[in-house]
Amino acid sequence: MSMLQVSGASKRFGGVIANEKISLEVPEGKIIGLIGPNGSGKTTLFNSIVGYHPLDDGSIRFEGQEISHLRVPEIARLGMLRTFQQTRIYGKMTCVQNMQISKPNRNEGLMSMFDRFPKEDLARIDHLLEFVGLYSKRNLLAGDLSFGQQKLPEFAMALMNEPKLLLLDEPTAGINPTLINGLIDRLKRANEEMGITLLVIEHNMRVIMNLAEHIYCLAHGEMLAEGKPEEIQNDQRVIDAYLGAH
Amino acid sequence: MRNTILLVLGTIIAFAVPFMFPAYQNQFAMLWLMILFALTWDLMGGQMGYNSFGNVVFFGVGMYITAVIQRDLYFDIEEYAHVAGRIDALTPDQYLTGIFLGMGVSGIVTVLVAIILGAGILGLRGHYFAICTLGLTIAAGEIASGIDYIGAGSGIVTPVFPTELMAKGMFFYFVFMVLAVGTFLTNKWMLAGRFGLAVNAIRDDEDKAEAMGIRTKRYKTMAWATSAFFLSMAGGAAGNLFGFIDPINVAFAGATFGVWMVLMAILGGKGTIWGPVIGAAIFHITQELFWTYLFGWQRVALGAMIVGIVVFFPQGIMGFLRQHWPHLFGHKVDEQTTVEQGATKESEA
Amino acid sequence: MIANLSILFDAPIFVVQLLIDGLLIGALFALVAYGMALVWGVMNIINIAQGEFVILGGYVALTVANWGVPIVLGLPISFIVLFLVGWAVYRAVICRVVDEDLFISILATFGISILFQQLMNQMFTADVRTLQSGLDTWFLFDDMVTVSQIKVVSFVSAIVFGVAVMIFMRRSRLGQAIRATAQNARAARIMGIDTDRVYAMTYSINAAICGAAGALVVMTWFVQPFAGLAFTVRSFMIVVIAGLGNLGAVAVSGLTLGTLENFAGFILGAEFQMAFIFSLLVVILVWRNYRLGRERKVLR
Ligand SMILES: Nc1ncnc2c1ncn2[C@@H]1O[C@H](COP(=O)(O)OP(=O)(O)OP(=O)(O)O)[C@@H](O)[C@H]1O
Ligand SMILES: [Mg+2]
């Protein structure tokens, strides 16, 4: 059975139909891509999955459990995290502090509110910051990093949280092209070495074709096509959608 | 080593002050109270970004609970009303039992109140929270003014301090010192661990904190209940120090204590450990000067001072120091160059 | 409390009385709330000093009346004086906090509010003051219901005045600039609108509206240096319920609040009227937020 199963999800904002009967599956251990032109409803779908707004219709199951009625933090604690298209980090805290507070919150009792930070944490934080290439900036305030750089602590924080499934909203947006290869590599390693299943929104075709094993394509809020990267690449409907044939 | 010396020195001074300046014991007791105000506010407003005008409610509730317990423990109401203002019948034992029992009970009760109120109010964000808590303070004062059991609009007179015990100022100096130092140490202890980073995360971006699975409600309630706990005990003692409780101008004094808390924390530098302490000290001294030299106009001057601080000095003393000498605060700003190189190296690899 | 409630059931005519009084005062609440919505929407500032402007407007009208100026001129004079006061406050304080975070501006306007309270207290003492209009009272339903004419005059003035400000906002160039700035200050600035001037005008117009309302308040009700905060809170509630852009809703909420408050004052007793207003604020905010929470949103 799939790790994440979205079936018939619909979401309207007033008159705007952002998602119409979307169904998709994310099997455990895979990297799945989600593409579509601007405004096609990708971010909205992410928001629905992680509980930012109620669905109008449809169901969302995570590891077999219906989660469409749960709230954001509860869903996060089940082991499904997302990063934001507009990067969000804790700006007035250092990168290390950002990481420290991103430890998993799954089974904490009342008194663990006052836990200190054990040595193992620091080692793991150093390792992860090294992994995303931020080690030398670890003591800077995260808000002082450039916008492109802020993607890195956000990604590292997500890894720190040890999610089972990670939803990434345009991880390469605003990142300089020479660094993108490194990032693809890191995403793959996160998937293979840390066993994190990924669902990735991406506009950069080269990246997503390289990364994903299976790709879904949205257009005008509806599921337009799905398939292997090669199939999507050659699908006339997808090409039309991207060239702006409305 | 240097810290130990400072600590010892500080302790000696703190204990010596009431003996050295016996005429100013009350003022110094008030100074500790002000420090406690600023610290409890800062835990919410400075560290967590929940700017509350309503913390003074807990102060007032504590004040009333303690006074009522002191009263009802040894008098029935009729008799008390009859001798109003002249209760010198309490023995030191009775007085001490009453006041400490009262403070303890109010500590526990206000924690519950904070949890209950928090369930609704702590869900509000930003300015809605600020204004809601402002409403809460004034509502509390108005409601208290209508309840006969606690003296309605004319308030309660607290028992006369048994001076055969020791000087009144001396007693309250030490009570407030213990409370303020307790608050300080509690803040410091709480903020040093996960709690500290969690409330800072809530301050910086609560949506992100929720998205990362942090139990924000729990942390928010904890911060509020902690403030409530210390404020209410301080309230219990303060009612006795003042000798008189007025619902609007003393207990739920939103326009004085309620704003001062905010102001002192901002003046010292909100979101820092020492800022509120420094802010409270400076504010208290200024205020005493206002009372001495601007009598009649001191409240006008205070209003002007609020505006002045907020407009011209919102970063506070600690913020100012941090801006100009960041290395004192352990922020490294000079790793820039090495980083760029490191990043490129990595991408090549 | 029960006793008062049963009076209402036994003599329904009281209901009419309370309703009329409530509606008549509610129009003034709506007017002040409209000003608050204006400043909030355009400048993103919640003006805690709103109520003090109202009270100050009342004192201005009172003072000029004592100088022998005809009472009908009280409203325009308060309007102008408070416009100037608003301008001065903007130049001295508000222009420095417009772009700061919201709490800074709340605190700054709170400071202004305290400053004004204390100044008024020094100048006019803490006594409750009213201005006698010299108008008559109508007696309706066999003298069971009394309607003082000044309240009706004030109600009508409030509406006429509110409509006039609205038309000004729609038609005049300044009004259009204000609305453009409200929608997108950056874009407005790029299009050559002097947003600093727009902010100054917005804040001053708001103060002037409050001043005019104050002139009516002092004739129909009373002023007192510390009575301002209640007006601020009423306006805030009205705006929270009605939203920033919706004038019709502001009017309806204002009238509703006036009525509600009047009934609460009667049923709970006058000593709990303020307690009612401020508790209502807490309840409304929590309730709105709870409703939004069920859609997984928060009040922003
Ligand atoms: N909160 C909202 N309120 C109203 N409309 C919204 C809201 N969020 C999204 N929309 C609308 O829903 C549609 C889909 O938006 P969405 O952000 O999901 O697109 P997207 O596929 O992520 O686009 P992009 O590639 O530009 O990020 C858009 O037309 C957008 O205007
Ligand atoms: Mg998007």
PDB file of all heavy atoms in Angstrom, chain A residues 89-91 93-95 98 129 133-134 136-154, chain B residues 336 339-340:
ATOM      1  N   ILE A  89      12.047  30.129   7.856  1.00  0.00           N
ATOM      2  CA  ILE A  89      12.977  29.673   8.882  1.00  0.00           C
ATOM      3  C   ILE A  89      12.771  30.589  10.083  1.00  0.00           C
ATOM      4  O   ILE A  89      12.020  31.551   9.988  1.00  0.00           O
ATOM      5  CB  ILE A  89      14.436  29.798   8.395  1.00  0.00           C
ATOM      6  CG1 ILE A  89      14.550  31.087   7.599  1.00  0.00           C
ATOM      7  CG2 ILE A  89      14.841  28.621   7.543  1.00  0.00           C
ATOM      8  CD1 ILE A  89      15.720  31.843   7.878  1.00  0.00           C
ATOM      9  N   TYR A  90      13.430  30.291  11.197  1.00  0.00           N
ATOM     10  CA  TYR A  90      13.328  31.179  12.349  1.00  0.00           C
ATOM     11  C   TYR A  90      14.444  32.208  12.255  1.00  0.00           C
ATOM     12  O   TYR A  90      15.593  31.938  12.595  1.00  0.00           O
ATOM     13  CB  TYR A  90      13.433  30.377  13.645  1.00  0.00           C
ATOM     14  CG  TYR A  90      12.489  29.200  13.683  1.00  0.00           C
ATOM     15  CD1 TYR A  90      12.951  27.917  13.893  1.00  0.00           C
ATOM     16  CD2 TYR A  90      11.120  29.379  13.480  1.00  0.00           C
ATOM     17  CE1 TYR A  90      12.101  26.829  13.922  1.00  0.00           C
ATOM     18  CE2 TYR A  90      10.257  28.303  13.503  1.00  0.00           C
ATOM     19  CZ  TYR A  90      10.751  27.037  13.723  1.00  0.00           C
ATOM     20  OH  TYR A  90       9.896  25.970  13.743  1.00  0.00           O
ATOM     21  N   GLY A  91      14.105  33.411  11.779  1.00  0.00           N
ATOM     22  CA  GLY A  91      15.107  34.380  11.362  1.00  0.00           C
ATOM     23  C   GLY A  91      16.016  34.896  12.454  1.00  0.00           C
ATOM     24  O   GLY A  91      17.183  35.172  12.226  1.00  0.00           O
ATOM     25  N   MET A  93      17.118  33.367  15.068  1.00  0.00           N
ATOM     26  CA  MET A  93      17.869  32.320  15.756  1.00  0.00           C
ATOM     27  C   MET A  93      18.995  31.856  14.839  1.00  0.00           C
ATOM     28  O   MET A  93      18.884  31.957  13.622  1.00  0.00           O
ATOM     29  CB  MET A  93      16.942  31.140  16.093  1.00  0.00           C
ATOM     30  CG  MET A  93      15.843  31.514  17.069  1.00  0.00           C
ATOM     31  SD  MET A  93      14.405  30.429  17.014  1.00  0.00           S
ATOM     32  CE  MET A  93      15.094  28.885  17.555  1.00  0.00           C
ATOM     33  N   THR A  94      20.070  31.349  15.449  1.00  0.00           N
ATOM     34  CA  THR A  94      21.178  30.892  14.613  1.00  0.00           C
ATOM     35  C   THR A  94      20.774  29.599  13.894  1.00  0.00           C
ATOM     36  O   THR A  94      19.790  28.957  14.254  1.00  0.00           O
ATOM     37  CB  THR A  94      22.433  30.600  15.449  1.00  0.00           C
ATOM     38  OG1 THR A  94      22.154  29.480  16.286  1.00  0.00           O
ATOM     39  CG2 THR A  94      22.815  31.786  16.311  1.00  0.00           C
ATOM     40  N   CYS A  95      21.563  29.250  12.880  1.00  0.00           N
ATOM     41  CA  CYS A  95      21.259  28.025  12.134  1.00  0.00           C
ATOM     42  C   CYS A  95      21.252  26.816  13.057  1.00  0.00           C
ATOM     43  O   CYS A  95      20.384  25.951  12.957  1.00  0.00           O
ATOM     44  CB  CYS A  95      22.279  27.820  11.018  1.00  0.00           C
ATOM     45  SG  CYS A  95      22.142  29.073   9.749  1.00  0.00           S
ATOM     46  N   ASN A  98      18.094  26.804  14.976  1.00  0.00           N
ATOM     47  CA  ASN A  98      17.033  26.366  14.083  1.00  0.00           C
ATOM     48  C   ASN A  98      16.986  24.848  14.008  1.00  0.00           C
ATOM     49  O   ASN A  98      15.911  24.249  13.975  1.00  0.00           O
ATOM     50  CB  ASN A  98      17.276  26.930  12.671  1.00  0.00           C
ATOM     51  CG  ASN A  98      16.586  28.259  12.450  1.00  0.00           C
ATOM     52  OD1 ASN A  98      15.426  28.294  12.070  1.00  0.00           O
ATOM     53  ND2 ASN A  98      17.285  29.342  12.702  1.00  0.00           N
ATOM     54  N   LEU A 129      24.220  19.876   8.742  1.00  0.00           N
ATOM     55  CA  LEU A 129      24.583  21.184   8.181  1.00  0.00           C
ATOM     56  C   LEU A 129      25.714  21.013   7.167  1.00  0.00           C
ATOM     57  O   LEU A 129      25.742  21.663   6.125  1.00  0.00           O
ATOM     58  CB  LEU A 129      24.983  22.153   9.289  1.00  0.00           C
ATOM     59  CG  LEU A 129      23.814  22.687  10.112  1.00  0.00           C
ATOM     60  CD1 LEU A 129      24.310  23.547  11.263  1.00  0.00           C
ATOM     61  CD2 LEU A 129      22.854  23.494   9.249  1.00  0.00           C
ATOM     62  N   GLY A 133      25.715  21.774   3.187  1.00  0.00           N
ATOM     63  CA  GLY A 133      26.720  22.765   2.800  1.00  0.00           C
ATOM     64  C   GLY A 133      26.585  24.078   3.540  1.00  0.00           C
ATOM     65  O   GLY A 133      26.770  25.151   2.987  1.00  0.00           O
ATOM     66  N   LEU A 134      26.245  24.001   4.814  1.00  0.00           N
ATOM     67  CA  LEU A 134      26.014  25.227   5.555  1.00  0.00           C
ATOM     68  C   LEU A 134      26.857  25.278   6.818  1.00  0.00           C
ATOM     69  O   LEU A 134      26.694  26.166   7.650  1.00  0.00           O
ATOM     70  CB  LEU A 134      24.524  25.287   5.937  1.00  0.00           C
ATOM     71  CG  LEU A 134      23.919  26.675   6.089  1.00  0.00           C
ATOM     72  CD1 LEU A 134      23.885  27.369   4.760  1.00  0.00           C
ATOM     73  CD2 LEU A 134      22.536  26.566   6.668  1.00  0.00           C
ATOM     74  N   SER A 136      29.856  26.084   7.654  1.00  0.00           N
ATOM     75  CA  SER A 136      30.655  27.245   8.035  1.00  0.00           C
ATOM     76  C   SER A 136      29.780  28.432   8.448  1.00  0.00           C
ATOM     77  O   SER A 136      30.263  29.380   9.042  1.00  0.00           O
ATOM     78  CB  SER A 136      31.560  27.645   6.885  1.00  0.00           C
ATOM     79  OG  SER A 136      30.779  27.774   5.720  1.00  0.00           O
ATOM     80  N   LYS A 137      28.473  28.365   8.141  1.00  0.00           N
ATOM     81  CA  LYS A 137      27.601  29.481   8.525  1.00  0.00           C
ATOM     82  C   LYS A 137      26.739  29.126   9.713  1.00  0.00           C
ATOM     83  O   LYS A 137      25.742  29.808   9.993  1.00  0.00           O
ATOM     84  CB  LYS A 137      26.682  29.827   7.355  1.00  0.00           C
ATOM     85  CG  LYS A 137      27.439  30.322   6.152  1.00  0.00           C
ATOM     86  CD  LYS A 137      26.633  31.360   5.413  1.00  0.00           C
ATOM     87  CE  LYS A 137      27.533  32.071   4.453  1.00  0.00           C
ATOM     88  NZ  LYS A 137      26.948  33.255   3.882  1.00  0.00           N
ATOM     89  N   ARG A 138      27.097  28.075  10.418  1.00  0.00           N
ATOM     90  CA  ARG A 138      26.156  27.543  11.407  1.00  0.00           C
ATOM     91  C   ARG A 138      25.843  28.502  12.528  1.00  0.00           C
ATOM     92  O   ARG A 138      24.782  28.449  13.118  1.00  0.00           O
ATOM     93  CB  ARG A 138      26.671  26.226  11.966  1.00  0.00           C
ATOM     94  CG  ARG A 138      27.944  26.353  12.785  1.00  0.00           C
ATOM     95  CD  ARG A 138      28.535  24.973  13.052  1.00  0.00           C
ATOM     96  NE  ARG A 138      29.740  25.053  13.852  1.00  0.00           N
ATOM     97  CZ  ARG A 138      30.909  25.455  13.388  1.00  0.00           C
ATOM     98  NH1 ARG A 138      31.018  25.838  12.123  1.00  0.00           N
ATOM     99  NH2 ARG A 138      31.957  25.505  14.169  1.00  0.00           N
ATOM    100  N   ASN A 139      26.769  29.437  12.825  1.00  0.00           N
ATOM    101  CA  ASN A 139      26.500  30.333  13.946  1.00  0.00           C
ATOM    102  C   ASN A 139      25.931  31.683  13.538  1.00  0.00           C
ATOM    103  O   ASN A 139      25.797  32.587  14.351  1.00  0.00           O
ATOM    104  CB  ASN A 139      27.770  30.530  14.765  1.00  0.00           C
ATOM    105  CG  ASN A 139      28.081  29.286  15.569  1.00  0.00           C
ATOM    106  OD1 ASN A 139      27.167  28.632  16.064  1.00  0.00           O
ATOM    107  ND2 ASN A 139      29.349  28.931  15.650  1.00  0.00           N
ATOM    108  N   LEU A 140      25.619  31.804  12.242  1.00  0.00           N
ATOM    109  CA  LEU A 140      24.971  33.053  11.816  1.00  0.00           C
ATOM    110  C   LEU A 140      23.482  33.000  12.155  1.00  0.00           C
ATOM    111  O   LEU A 140      22.890  31.928  12.233  1.00  0.00           O
ATOM    112  CB  LEU A 140      25.106  33.211  10.309  1.00  0.00           C
ATOM    113  CG  LEU A 140      26.463  33.601   9.761  1.00  0.00           C
ATOM    114  CD1 LEU A 140      26.337  33.874   8.275  1.00  0.00           C
ATOM    115  CD2 LEU A 140      26.975  34.839  10.471  1.00  0.00           C
ATOM    116  N   LEU A 141      22.883  34.194  12.318  1.00  0.00           N
ATOM    117  CA  LEU A 141      21.431  34.237  12.425  1.00  0.00           C
ATOM    118  C   LEU A 141      20.867  33.783  11.075  1.00  0.00           C
ATOM    119  O   LEU A 141      21.307  34.253  10.021  1.00  0.00           O
ATOM    120  CB  LEU A 141      20.952  35.652  12.729  1.00  0.00           C
ATOM    121  CG  LEU A 141      21.323  36.212  14.099  1.00  0.00           C
ATOM    122  CD1 LEU A 141      20.633  37.548  14.315  1.00  0.00           C
ATOM    123  CD2 LEU A 141      20.929  35.244  15.205  1.00  0.00           C
ATOM    124  N   ALA A 142      19.898  32.879  11.127  1.00  0.00           N
ATOM    125  CA  ALA A 142      19.371  32.335   9.875  1.00  0.00           C
ATOM    126  C   ALA A 142      18.788  33.441   9.003  1.00  0.00           C
ATOM    127  O   ALA A 142      18.852  33.383   7.783  1.00  0.00           O
ATOM    128  CB  ALA A 142      18.310  31.282  10.176  1.00  0.00           C
ATOM    129  N   GLY A 143      18.226  34.487   9.652  1.00  0.00           N
ATOM    130  CA  GLY A 143      17.647  35.582   8.896  1.00  0.00           C
ATOM    131  C   GLY A 143      18.677  36.399   8.137  1.00  0.00           C
ATOM    132  O   GLY A 143      18.334  37.146   7.221  1.00  0.00           O
ATOM    133  N   ASP A 144      19.956  36.262   8.527  1.00  0.00           N
ATOM    134  CA  ASP A 144      21.000  37.013   7.832  1.00  0.00           C
ATOM    135  C   ASP A 144      21.492  36.308   6.575  1.00  0.00           C
ATOM    136  O   ASP A 144      22.278  36.870   5.816  1.00  0.00           O
ATOM    137  CB  ASP A 144      22.195  37.263   8.764  1.00  0.00           C
ATOM    138  CG  ASP A 144      21.858  38.287   9.834  1.00  0.00           C
ATOM    139  OD1 ASP A 144      20.823  38.957   9.668  1.00  0.00           O
ATOM    140  OD2 ASP A 144      22.610  38.413  10.810  1.00  0.00           O
ATOM    141  N   LEU A 145      21.067  35.059   6.367  1.00  0.00           N
ATOM    142  CA  LEU A 145      21.444  34.370   5.136  1.00  0.00           C
ATOM    143  C   LEU A 145      20.689  34.984   3.960  1.00  0.00           C
ATOM    144  O   LEU A 145      19.640  35.590   4.138  1.00  0.00           O
ATOM    145  CB  LEU A 145      21.092  32.879   5.230  1.00  0.00           C
ATOM    146  CG  LEU A 145      21.789  32.080   6.334  1.00  0.00           C
ATOM    147  CD1 LEU A 145      21.214  30.679   6.388  1.00  0.00           C
ATOM    148  CD2 LEU A 145      23.284  32.045   6.089  1.00  0.00           C
ATOM    149  N   SER A 146      21.237  34.807   2.752  1.00  0.00           N
ATOM    150  CA  SER A 146      20.526  35.319   1.582  1.00  0.00           C
ATOM    151  C   SER A 146      19.300  34.434   1.338  1.00  0.00           C
ATOM    152  O   SER A 146      19.209  33.323   1.852  1.00  0.00           O
ATOM    153  CB  SER A 146      21.435  35.295   0.366  1.00  0.00           C
ATOM    154  OG  SER A 146      21.519  33.975  -0.115  1.00  0.00           O
ATOM    155  N   PHE A 147      18.372  34.945   0.533  1.00  0.00           N
ATOM    156  CA  PHE A 147      17.141  34.186   0.317  1.00  0.00           C
ATOM    157  C   PHE A 147      17.415  32.815  -0.277  1.00  0.00           C
ATOM    158  O   PHE A 147      16.810  31.829   0.111  1.00  0.00           O
ATOM    159  CB  PHE A 147      16.181  34.971  -0.573  1.00  0.00           C
ATOM    160  CG  PHE A 147      15.427  36.001   0.192  1.00  0.00           C
ATOM    161  CD1 PHE A 147      15.643  37.347  -0.037  1.00  0.00           C
ATOM    162  CD2 PHE A 147      14.518  35.623   1.170  1.00  0.00           C
ATOM    163  CE1 PHE A 147      14.966  38.297   0.700  1.00  0.00           C
ATOM    164  CE2 PHE A 147      13.838  36.568   1.899  1.00  0.00           C
ATOM    165  CZ  PHE A 147      14.069  37.922   1.663  1.00  0.00           C
ATOM    166  N   GLY A 148      18.354  32.768  -1.227  1.00  0.00           N
ATOM    167  CA  GLY A 148      18.697  31.485  -1.820  1.00  0.00           C
ATOM    168  C   GLY A 148      19.261  30.542  -0.775  1.00  0.00           C
ATOM    169  O   GLY A 148      18.893  29.367  -0.696  1.00  0.00           O
ATOM    170  N   GLN A 149      20.136  31.078   0.070  1.00  0.00           N
ATOM    171  CA  GLN A 149      20.775  30.251   1.099  1.00  0.00           C
ATOM    172  C   GLN A 149      19.772  29.736   2.119  1.00  0.00           C
ATOM    173  O   GLN A 149      19.960  28.673   2.694  1.00  0.00           O
ATOM    174  CB  GLN A 149      21.856  31.055   1.814  1.00  0.00           C
ATOM    175  CG  GLN A 149      23.108  31.253   0.998  1.00  0.00           C
ATOM    176  CD  GLN A 149      24.068  32.187   1.705  1.00  0.00           C
ATOM    177  OE1 GLN A 149      23.652  33.109   2.388  1.00  0.00           O
ATOM    178  NE2 GLN A 149      25.352  31.948   1.529  1.00  0.00           N
ATOM    179  N   GLN A 150      18.724  30.514   2.358  1.00  0.00           N
ATOM    180  CA  GLN A 150      17.778  30.096   3.394  1.00  0.00           C
ATOM    181  C   GLN A 150      17.092  28.780   3.066  1.00  0.00           C
ATOM    182  O   GLN A 150      16.566  28.114   3.944  1.00  0.00           O
ATOM    183  CB  GLN A 150      16.741  31.200   3.624  1.00  0.00           C
ATOM    184  CG  GLN A 150      17.352  32.411   4.287  1.00  0.00           C
ATOM    185  CD  GLN A 150      16.333  33.474   4.616  1.00  0.00           C
ATOM    186  OE1 GLN A 150      15.149  33.326   4.355  1.00  0.00           O
ATOM    187  NE2 GLN A 150      16.799  34.566   5.189  1.00  0.00           N
ATOM    188  N   LYS A 151      17.101  28.409   1.785  1.00  0.00           N
ATOM    189  CA  LYS A 151      16.547  27.100   1.417  1.00  0.00           C
ATOM    190  C   LYS A 151      17.313  25.978   2.120  1.00  0.00           C
ATOM    191  O   LYS A 151      16.757  24.925   2.416  1.00  0.00           O
ATOM    192  CB  LYS A 151      16.678  26.895  -0.092  1.00  0.00           C
ATOM    193  CG  LYS A 151      15.807  27.801  -0.909  1.00  0.00           C
ATOM    194  CD  LYS A 151      14.709  27.020  -1.576  1.00  0.00           C
ATOM    195  CE  LYS A 151      13.595  27.959  -1.970  1.00  0.00           C
ATOM    196  NZ  LYS A 151      12.375  27.338  -2.340  1.00  0.00           N
ATOM    197  N   LEU A 152      18.602  26.210   2.352  1.00  0.00           N
ATOM    198  CA  LEU A 152      19.441  25.140   2.894  1.00  0.00           C
ATOM    199  C   LEU A 152      19.096  24.801   4.340  1.00  0.00           C
ATOM    200  O   LEU A 152      18.866  23.636   4.654  1.00  0.00           O
ATOM    201  CB  LEU A 152      20.921  25.506   2.741  1.00  0.00           C
ATOM    202  CG  LEU A 152      21.344  25.741   1.282  1.00  0.00           C
ATOM    203  CD1 LEU A 152      22.777  26.222   1.204  1.00  0.00           C
ATOM    204  CD2 LEU A 152      21.145  24.483   0.460  1.00  0.00           C
ATOM    205  N   PRO A 153      19.051  25.804   5.253  1.00  0.00           N
ATOM    206  CA  PRO A 153      18.651  25.423   6.611  1.00  0.00           C
ATOM    207  C   PRO A 153      17.245  24.848   6.643  1.00  0.00           C
ATOM    208  O   PRO A 153      16.967  23.947   7.437  1.00  0.00           O
ATOM    209  CB  PRO A 153      18.728  26.735   7.400  1.00  0.00           C
ATOM    210  CG  PRO A 153      18.787  27.815   6.403  1.00  0.00           C
ATOM    211  CD  PRO A 153      19.416  27.223   5.176  1.00  0.00           C
ATOM    212  N   GLU A 154      16.370  25.339   5.766  1.00  0.00           N
ATOM    213  CA  GLU A 154      15.011  24.798   5.800  1.00  0.00           C
ATOM    214  C   GLU A 154      15.022  23.302   5.462  1.00  0.00           C
ATOM    215  O   GLU A 154      14.349  22.504   6.108  1.00  0.00           O
ATOM    216  CB  GLU A 154      14.091  25.555   4.834  1.00  0.00           C
ATOM    217  CG  GLU A 154      12.627  25.207   5.110  1.00  0.00           C
ATOM    218  CD  GLU A 154      11.642  25.837   4.157  1.00  0.00           C
ATOM    219  OE1 GLU A 154      12.001  26.043   2.987  1.00  0.00           O
ATOM    220  OE2 GLU A 154      10.505  26.102   4.583  1.00  0.00           O
TER     221      GLU A 154
ATOM    222  N   GLN B 336      31.811  35.004   6.639  1.00  0.00           N
ATOM    223  CA  GLN B 336      31.290  35.159   5.287  1.00  0.00           C
ATOM    224  C   GLN B 336      32.216  34.556   4.220  1.00  0.00           C
ATOM    225  O   GLN B 336      31.821  33.711   3.442  1.00  0.00           O
ATOM    226  CB  GLN B 336      31.108  36.652   5.003  1.00  0.00           C
ATOM    227  CG  GLN B 336      29.965  36.952   4.071  1.00  0.00           C
ATOM    228  CD  GLN B 336      28.620  36.803   4.780  1.00  0.00           C
ATOM    229  OE1 GLN B 336      28.551  36.814   5.998  1.00  0.00           O
ATOM    230  NE2 GLN B 336      27.565  36.665   4.015  1.00  0.00           N
ATOM    231  N   VAL B 339      32.777  30.872   3.921  1.00  0.00           N
ATOM    232  CA  VAL B 339      31.571  30.149   3.545  1.00  0.00           C
ATOM    233  C   VAL B 339      31.417  30.061   2.041  1.00  0.00           C
ATOM    234  O   VAL B 339      31.193  28.995   1.486  1.00  0.00           O
ATOM    235  CB  VAL B 339      30.340  30.842   4.145  1.00  0.00           C
ATOM    236  CG1 VAL B 339      29.096  30.224   3.567  1.00  0.00           C
ATOM    237  CG2 VAL B 339      30.376  30.699   5.633  1.00  0.00           C
ATOM    238  N   GLU B 340      31.556  31.194   1.364  1.00  0.00           N
ATOM    239  CA  GLU B 340      31.394  31.191  -0.083  1.00  0.00           C
ATOM    240  C   GLU B 340      32.334  30.170  -0.714  1.00  0.00           C
ATOM    241  O   GLU B 340      31.955  29.395  -1.564  1.00  0.00           O
ATOM    242  CB  GLU B 340      31.675  32.588  -0.665  1.00  0.00           C
ATOM    243  CG  GLU B 340      30.657  33.654  -0.255  1.00  0.00           C
ATOM    244  CD  GLU B 340      29.221  33.227  -0.568  1.00  0.00           C
ATOM    245  OE1 GLU B 340      29.012  32.435  -1.509  1.00  0.00           O
ATOM    246  OE2 GLU B 340      28.318  33.680   0.159  1.00  0.00           O
TER     247      GLU B 340
END
